[in-house]
Amino acid sequence: MYENFSALILAAGLGKRMKSEMPKVLSEICGKSLLEHVISGLNDAGVKNIGIVTGYKGDTVRNHIGSGYSYYNQEKQLGTAHAVMCAKDFLTDGPVIILCGDAPLIDENTLRAFMDFYCDNDLKLAVLTANLENPLSYGRIIRENGSLKRITEKKDCTKEQLYINEVNSGAYIFDAHCLLDVLGEIGCDNNQNEYYLTDAVELFIKNGLRADAYMCDDPNVVLGANTLADLSECERLMRKKINERHMLNGVKMIDPNTTYIDAGVVIGAGTTLYPNTIINSGSEIGCNNTIISSRISLSKIGSGNFIDTSTLEECEVRDFCRIGPYAHLRPKTLIKNNVKLGNFVEVKNSIIDEKSSAAHLTYVGDGEIGKNVNLGCGVVFANYDGVNKHKTVIGDESFIGCNTNLIAPVKIGSRVLIAAGSTITKDLEDDTFAIARCKETLKKRNKNNEE
Ligand code: UD1
Ligand code: CA
């Protein structure tokens, strides 16, 4: 039903008020840029044909967002109407939604209700508005006898108009043809000498084209990020929504205010998250896990795991493992079922098979560890010779004693026993007992502790 709607996102501005060199629309909240959030909202609402106006650091913005969109360039940022003018080739047929790239909270439900409002009332222009207790720097909605008349920017308001609480969200639906007709008439005779898209409202009404404002129930969805303070407020509101959705799906949070989950993360029912847990975009967490104060990024976690105060990056942990406290799983690591990794264990680019364990102070780098292997306290995989990285393989059921150094490349067979304190440089066959350390010497102690 919404396929005949297209959407144009205005994203050419620098965002001076952010005090950053980065284009404002690439500022991130909950793991995605503002612009990506706007695009997600449109996609979720079923709007597929999307155009984007870029300008300030346009190449950076385009590279970040990628292909699949029609891009237009606005060389100089002369105002929102001028931005739309730069994309006039996009304004062909049917209704076009225009959104600001810096207002990330607009969601699919709001967009659908807005599109319904436009269709049901047979409009040529609809403006999305909200009632804000503090109308801040938003454009004010001017009505006469209840009917929409125009939008006035804060900087152009009279003293009385500043008290109007109904504000312009910066989201509109226009009939594309009618918009093209009036765009040329918009001037820049205002306080900022900019071409304001908001002036289109008065022009539509003057031309006898049906225009109306749709006020959304939730004022938060219209919030735009102009400063870093706005950005953190948008992030707080989005995080709240994300957490509420997970809790409705059966995820328990001890304190949702200190649980930080990015957009797009999947979490199964029965999982409990303790405070100060951060789960970054691209992660997928199964059911019935307990996760305490950990950071999980781009990782896949199965079910029934207990993860305590640990960092997991670009790795996979299957089911029923105990990780931490203070473990660090680095990229390209696969931990199979029932593995135990305890205090200060670091694993990188390695596979650890079922029921193996490294309970304390161990570094596993570029390793392939079989089933039921025990790595004692302080085992170190010496994987780097200063130039290249090398692999260490350990067969099933082997027992590596405390403080063993495994000098890679090295292959340890199955059921091998290595004595504590050994430094192993040669491959070991299955069922070997290896002891590679100096023999202990015992002497009678003399008064001066001399030999
Ligand atoms: C705009 C509206 C204001 C509304 C507010 C909602 C106008 C004149 N004002 O003000 O009524 O309440 O949004 O958030 O439209 N942009 C361009 N090219 C430009 C200027 C802006 O692409 O030349 C883009 C920006 O990148 C941004 C969006 O348009 O994503 C809004 O621009 P911004 O300067 O933030 O407008 P506001 O002052 O917030
Ligand atoms: Ca803005």
Side-chain angles (χ1 to χ4, degrees):
M1 159 173 187
Y2 303 113
E3 284 94 52
N4 65 327
F5 282 80
S6 51
L8 185 66
I9 307 174
L10 309 185
L14 149 69
K16 263 189 230 129
R17 291 164 278 180
M18 294 296 239
K19 307 279 157 70
S20 158
E21 305 251 291
M22 186 175 67
K24 171 166 72 172
V25 293
L26 295 191
S27 310
E28 283 197 0
I29 62 170
C30 298
K32 277 193 208 167
S33 64
L34 298 177
L35 186 50
E36 283 173 293
H37 285 295
V38 177
I39 293 171
S40 297
L42 287 166
N43 284 331
D44 294 346
V47 178
K48 296 280 176 288
N49 181 21
I50 299 176
I52 304 174
V53 183
T54 62
Y56 173 74
K57 293 201 177 167
D59 288 343
T60 313
V61 176
R62 290 170 194 217
N63 287 337
H64 177 87
I65 299 298
S67 57
Y69 308 95
S70 311
Y71 287 103
Y72 301 91
N73 185 40
Q74 184 194 24
E75 206 148 304
K76 274 197 176 153
Q77 284 74 62
L78 303 177
T80 41
H82 180 259
V84 175
M85 191 61 129
C86 294
K88 61 179 187 308
D89 294 345
F90 188 76
L91 306 176
T92 48
D93 261 332
V96 57
I97 306 171
I98 296 194
L99 300 178
C100 293
D102 65 349
L105 295 163
I106 191 147
D107 58 358
E108 57 176 307
N109 295 334
T110 307
L111 284 168
R112 287 210 187 96
F114 189 35
M115 289 188 275
D116 290 343
F117 176 79
Y118 178 87
C119 295
D120 296 349
N121 293 291
D122 209 8
L123 299 175
K124 295 294 183 201
L125 161 57
V127 190
L128 185 73
T129 71
N131 218 347
L132 295 188
E133 215 169 287
N134 179 356
L136 301 164
S137 64
Y138 293 91
R140 308 298 202 263
I141 301 296
I142 314 289
R143 293 175 181 267
E144 270 173 37
N145 304 319
S147 310
L148 175 68
K149 276 289 162 252
R150 74 179 79 84
I151 301 173
T152 303
E153 289 306 287
K154 183 189 172 189
K155 288 185 176 153
D156 303 301
C157 277
T158 62
K159 260 193 189 152
E160 294 74 42
Q161 286 170 337
L162 287 176
Y163 287 103
I164 296 173
N165 295 92
E166 190 183 2
V167 302
N168 171 26
S169 68
Y172 321 81
I173 302 175
F174 289 99
D175 175 89
H177 278 300
C178 301
L179 177 59
L180 264 181
D181 287 344
V182 306
L183 267 181
E185 293 179 44
I186 295 178
C188 59
D189 182 18
N190 52 53
N191 245 316
Q192 304 190 85
N193 296 320
E194 280 187 8
Y195 295 88
Y196 289 165
L197 184 57
T198 45
D199 286 353
V201 172
E202 196 169 13
L203 290 168
F204 265 63
I205 294 167
K206 236 193 225 158
N207 293 349
L209 299 166
R210 281 177 66 79
D212 204 349
Y214 172 71
M215 197 196 285
C216 48
D217 306 331
D218 176 4
N220 289 334
V221 303
V222 311
L223 296 185
N226 295 316
T227 64
L228 286 175
D230 297 341
L231 191 74
S232 80
E233 177 62 4
C234 286
E235 179 145 34
R236 187 184 68 80
L237 292 164
M238 184 171 287
R239 184 162 63 236
K240 189 160 179 272
K241 254 194 195 166
I242 289 173
N243 286 357
E244 277 165 6
R245 183 172 57 80
H246 287 298
M247 288 188 279
L248 286 175
N249 288 341
V251 177
K252 182 175 173 190
M253 292 181 197
I254 306 300
D255 179 14
N257 291 322
T258 56
T259 304
Y260 307 85
I261 303 173
D262 280 349
V265 168
V266 177
I267 310 179
T271 286
T272 300
L273 304 177
Y274 279 72
N276 296 322
T277 288
I278 302 169
I279 304 180
N280 293 130
S281 278
S283 297
E284 205 179 300
I285 316 279
C287 300
N288 303 321
N289 296 287
T290 298
I291 302 176
I292 302 175
S293 308
S294 293
R295 182 168 71 82
I296 298 176
S297 166
L298 286 168
S299 296
K300 191 171 174 208
I301 311 294
S303 296
N305 298 289
F306 182 87
I307 300 174
D308 185 3
T309 332
S310 292
T311 299
L312 287 74
E313 302 166 300
E314 295 173 47
C315 63
E316 179 178 349
V317 174
R318 301 236 166 114
D319 306 328
F320 308 113
C321 295
R322 271 188 88 87
I323 311 289
Y326 311 112
H328 185 185
L329 306 192
R330 291 170 49 202
K332 295 196 196 145
T333 290
L334 168 62
I335 308 295
K336 296 197 183 170
N337 294 351
N338 293 295
V339 166
K340 189 177 165 210
L341 303 174
N343 311 262
F344 306 104
V345 170
E346 176 178 345
V347 185
K348 180 221 101 177
N349 186 33
S350 296
I351 299 175
I352 303 187
D353 212 333
E354 296 177 11
K355 295 188 183 160
S356 288
S357 97
H360 348 255
L361 301 162
T362 286
Y363 173 60
V364 177
D366 306 303
E368 213 179 287
I369 298 173
K371 298 184 174 66
N372 263 311
V373 169
N374 184 75
L375 302 176
C377 177
V379 169
V380 171
F381 284 42
N383 61 328
Y384 186 47
D385 61 12
V387 182
N388 294 308
K389 302 278 166 72
H390 301 282
K391 197 167 169 181
T392 300
V393 179
I394 304 179
D396 297 344
E397 324 244 328
S398 286
F399 185 101
I400 316 298
C402 292
N403 222 22
T404 293
N405 296 311
L406 300 169
I407 312 296
V410 69
K411 224 172 157 175
I412 313 292
S414 297
R415 297 171 304 280
V416 164
L417 171 63
I418 300 179
S422 295
T423 293
I424 301 294
T425 60
K426 298 191 185 88
D427 291 354
L428 301 177
E429 284 178 14
D430 293 351
D431 302 294
T432 305
F433 169 49
I435 174 159
R437 62 184 186 220
C438 291
K439 243 202 167 106
E440 207 166 4
T441 314
L442 304 177
K443 290 179 181 176
K444 202 76 194 158
R445 190 175 171 185
N446 61 33
K447 256 195 204 145
N448 301 322
N449 288 335
E450 288 160 346
E451 291 238 0

